[in-house]
Amino acid sequence: NAGVTQTPKFRILKIGQSMTLQCAQDMNHNYMYWYRQDPGMGLKLIYYSVGAGITDKGEVPNGYNVSRSTTEDFPLRLELAAPSQTSVYFCASSYVDLGIETDTQYFGPGTRLTVL
Amino acid sequence: SQKIEQNSEALNIQEGKTATLTCNYTNYSPAYLQWYRQDPGRGPVFLLLIRENEKEKRKERLKVTFDTTLKQSLFHITASQPADSATYLCALVVQNRYGGSQGNLIFGKGTKLSVKP
């Protein structure tokens, strides 16, 4: 299993440009998440999904959009990039059974995004 | 307001000693708490989970305690090694809108541990 994969690893955007960060998992996990991590700060949840077709906002959703058309993929869309979106973005997934509350999350390697 | 704090940004210890990292929280009622390890340029990796009704959990050289009265978790690494040098994150699990406590991990900022030979 590849686990959680993210592309690209690095990207530089100009203000106002758009891009999609790709995330895929091959563990048949039902939950998927997007976080951002700024230097010296904790991981902040942007969006999460509890299954295909269901997404929900996290703590910092403004400026981002997501979709979950399949179990495996959870892309994150930035529509109008701003310098405040310069960060490292992590995708994660977990298998959640409501009868067994564990929610161990498996993280991808991250995408380092710079907006100039 | 709700807060989760890890005691220090950095902790330096000598090889062989026990490292103790602290995670404090306010205004949360977590169902459980997790600890992750993060190496530079990589995503966090899960280490241990402890539930609210558990006082202590062990895994090899790692030990976690959870005191819901003090609202604190302690993470210990015994017989520390230079390879243990990394940033350690604690994360609380809070309830999501779908009724379960899955899906909402609130992360602390992390403590960077350096183990010197």
Side-chain angles (χ1 to χ4, degrees):
Chain A
N1 287 352
V4 179
T5 57
Q6 292 183 238
T7 56
K9 284 187 169 43
F10 304 93
R11 183 73 185 268
I12 298 175
L13 283 181
K14 294 182 180 177
I15 294 172
Q17 286 186 318
S18 301
M19 78 163 293
T20 299
L21 282 65
Q22 301 292 343
C23 174
Q25 54 91 10
D26 62 358
M27 298 174 283
N28 203 29
H29 285 172
N30 48 355
Y31 276 51
M32 295 187 74
Y33 317 82
W34 274 105
Y35 294 90
R36 59 177 289 172
Q37 187 175 40
D38 300 319
M41 303 296 289
L43 290 153
K44 301 289 186 185
L45 183 65
I46 304 171
Y47 271 96
Y48 70 104
S49 168
V50 303
I54 306 171
T55 62
D56 210 349
K57 296 177 181 179
E59 185 181 355
V60 290
N62 291 345
Y64 308 94
N65 276 302
V66 293
S67 60
R68 182 100 181 268
S69 56
T70 67
T71 300
E72 294 79 19
D73 301 297
F74 191 40
L76 177 72
R77 178 84 179 159
L78 282 71
E79 290 294 347
L80 292 169
S84 61
Q85 293 178 304
T86 294
S87 189
V88 180
Y89 291 84
F90 289 102
C91 179
S93 72
S94 64
Y95 177 71
V96 173
D97 180 337
L98 286 178
I100 306 170
E101 296 186 356
T102 59
D103 194 22
T104 298
Q105 295 191 11
Y106 295 81
F107 284 80
T111 293
R112 187 174 295 274
L113 176 67
T114 301
V115 182
L116 301 174
Chain B
S1 63
Q2 297 172 316
K3 281 199 302 186
I4 174 170
E5 292 182 333
Q6 294 191 240
N7 58 328
S8 58
E9 288 188 12
L11 180 65
N12 299 310
I13 64 167
Q14 283 298 125
E15 183 176 7
K17 301 291 186 185
T18 296
T20 298
L21 286 65
T22 305
C23 178
N24 294 295
Y25 59 93
T26 57
N27 296 327
Y28 285 113
S29 294
Y32 52 93
L33 187 147
Q34 301 183 0
W35 284 87
Y36 287 78
R37 169 182 172 141
Q38 187 174 22
D39 291 288
R42 293 180 177 265
V45 174
F46 171 78
L47 295 174
L48 279 170
L49 175 153
I50 185 164
R51 293 183 171 80
E52 59 179 343
N53 60 351
E54 297 175 321
K55 296 291 187 193
E56 182 180 297
K57 187 73 77 72
R58 291 177 185 261
K59 179 182 175 183
E60 298 172 352
R61 294 184 296 111
L62 308 180
K63 184 178 85 171
V64 173
T65 63
F66 192 13
D67 189 325
T68 55
T69 301
L70 292 178
K71 296 187 183 294
Q72 180 181 80
S73 175
L74 299 179
F75 177 80
H76 307 272
I77 305 176
T78 58
S80 59
Q81 304 165 0
D84 295 325
S85 298
T87 296
Y88 291 87
L89 309 173
C90 72
L92 302 179
V93 179
V94 297
Q95 207 166 47
N96 67 29
R97 62 184 289 168
Y98 299 98
S101 49
Q102 299 85 356
N104 276 0
L105 283 187
I106 310 297
F107 281 88
K109 295 180 182 180
T111 296
K112 184 175 181 181
L113 175 66
S114 295
V115 182
K116 305 296 184 187

